[in-house]
Amino acid sequence: MAKNDKKEAAEPNKLAMIILAAGKGTRMKSPLPKVLHPVAGRPMIEKVIQASKKAGATDLRVIVGHGQALVRSVVEPMGVSCFVQENQLGTADAVKAAQVETIEGDVVIMNGDHPLIEAEDIKKFITLFREEKCDLAVVTAVVKKPGEFGRIVRHKGDLKAIVEAKDASADTLKIREINTGIYIAKAETLAEYLPQIKNHNAKKEFYVTDLISLCIEDDCKVMAIKASPKVAVGVNNQQELAHATKLLFKRKALRLMEDGVLMIDPASTYVEESVEVGAGSVLFPNTFLRGSTKVGSFTVIEPHVFMSDSEIGDSVQVRAGSYLEQAIVHSRASVGPYARLRPQTTIGEEAHVGNFVEMKKVKFGKKSKAGHLTYLGDAEIGEDVNIGCGTITCNYAADKKKYQTKIGNRVFVGSDTQFVAPIEIGDDVVIGSGSTITKNVPAKALAVARGKQVIKENYTPKAPAQPKSEE
């Protein structure tokens, strides 16, 4: 042990994570690996990895098996190492697959289907584990309905055993303190006792819970660390997936309100953890904000707005039913109702994008307006421009390439105008309604391109006389 003591002294705060993600998740009734099912918008294992990193883990090892190619595609870009559990022989077998003999310091073992875990939770477990100088610990929680969880049996306050629900007596089943499936151990403890676990059970599997009894029998320092019931929330079926999502959205809503965000109905407002919203902003019911979205202060997001990876300034109004993806809206602008801003669209300060207006890859200038029923794509629109109803930039040509429309400052575009790109419109231009503009227009010009109106008087023939009906 002297050698191990030296290793621990050299790396007193080194932390490793073993995240179990090899299971099939048959109760999900889904072809997608269980840990990749989205909880509040992101794969649940992603949340476990993020919490682990924030807690200070520098060595993260994910155990993969079923659907490993898909799991790897999600977790490896996050900087973790994947280890394969070749056969489903139980949780201890999965931990062995992590090559524990190559790990140093303290190790947290947990499942990849616990999306409610947070960095602060892990930090608390580790701090208590180290303060008590434990060799092994199991994280427990007291819950209202223990169900199929293993029960924590104590004697004079100390951990005595973990009894699985199927093996428990009627009295033991009354115990409400359960095993969350999270363990903390010294690396050398795992290396020593994992090989001693036997598969003497009906399923012929190796269970990590057996570490507890082995270490207790060997007079190691073992303890049960009580945690919040949320730590015990795992996901095994679609109902639990929906419940976990609801809890995460609720947690985010509470934190936003604590920071001064107004919510009309938090229960029907869906904001992902990664989203930022400034104080004084108002979120109406049935809004969905996701990804890297940032919303400034004093902005109003009306009902049924979907916003993804977008940046919204201060004092913006996004009216009902609008859809924004990878868009930027500067301060004091208004969008909607029922507007769509597609990727690479930027709306300038005090600009107005009205109902049933769609923009894609557009720079829309300060104080410019597009009131309704308009499509603008691959365009640069100057400041203080008026875009009339029914205006279209014809950016997609017969050669299957897209071309750009450039419109200068203070341009007035009449209704039902088409700009056939590539085309440039100078400053202070007036475009007559109903025009199809195919040539560049210089500054301060009037452009009208429409068929000549023809009037033929007395053109409508008289209606034939109707026969009189016989009486």
Side-chain angles (χ1 to χ4, degrees), residues 235-363:
V235 174
N236 294 295
N237 54 49
Q238 298 294 341
Q239 291 82 1
E240 291 175 354
L241 181 72
H243 179 63
T245 291
K246 182 177 180 179
L247 292 176
L248 277 176
F249 279 137
K250 179 180 178 181
R251 185 165 76 189
K252 178 65 174 182
L254 291 173
R255 289 175 177 172
L256 287 175
M257 289 188 290
E258 287 173 358
D259 291 336
V261 176
L262 287 74
M263 287 192 175
I264 308 301
D265 181 14
S268 62
T269 306
Y270 311 101
V271 184
E272 292 185 4
E273 183 61 32
S274 53
V275 172
E276 299 177 15
V277 183
S281 286
V282 182
L283 303 183
F284 276 75
N286 298 314
T287 57
F288 198 118
L289 311 183
R290 68 181 310 272
S292 58
T293 294
K294 295 181 180 179
V295 178
S297 299
F298 303 109
T299 285
V300 177
I301 311 294
E302 291 187 359
H304 305 289
V305 168
F306 181 93
M307 199 179 296
S308 177
D309 302 315
S310 296
E311 186 174 337
I312 312 301
D314 298 334
S315 302
V316 170
Q317 185 168 21
V318 183
R319 296 191 174 101
S322 296
Y323 192 108
L324 289 73
E325 51 184 329
Q326 298 177 35
I328 298 173
V329 181
H330 288 290
S331 298
R332 299 183 301 284
S334 63
V335 175
Y338 303 104
R340 184 181 181 189
L341 302 184
R342 292 167 59 190
Q344 300 182 56
T345 293
T346 300
I347 307 301
E349 292 183 7
E350 300 181 59
H352 170 61
V353 179
N355 50 290
F356 304 106
V357 173
E358 179 180 356
M359 295 189 186
K360 189 273 298 181
K361 205 172 182 179
V362 173
K363 292 182 179 179

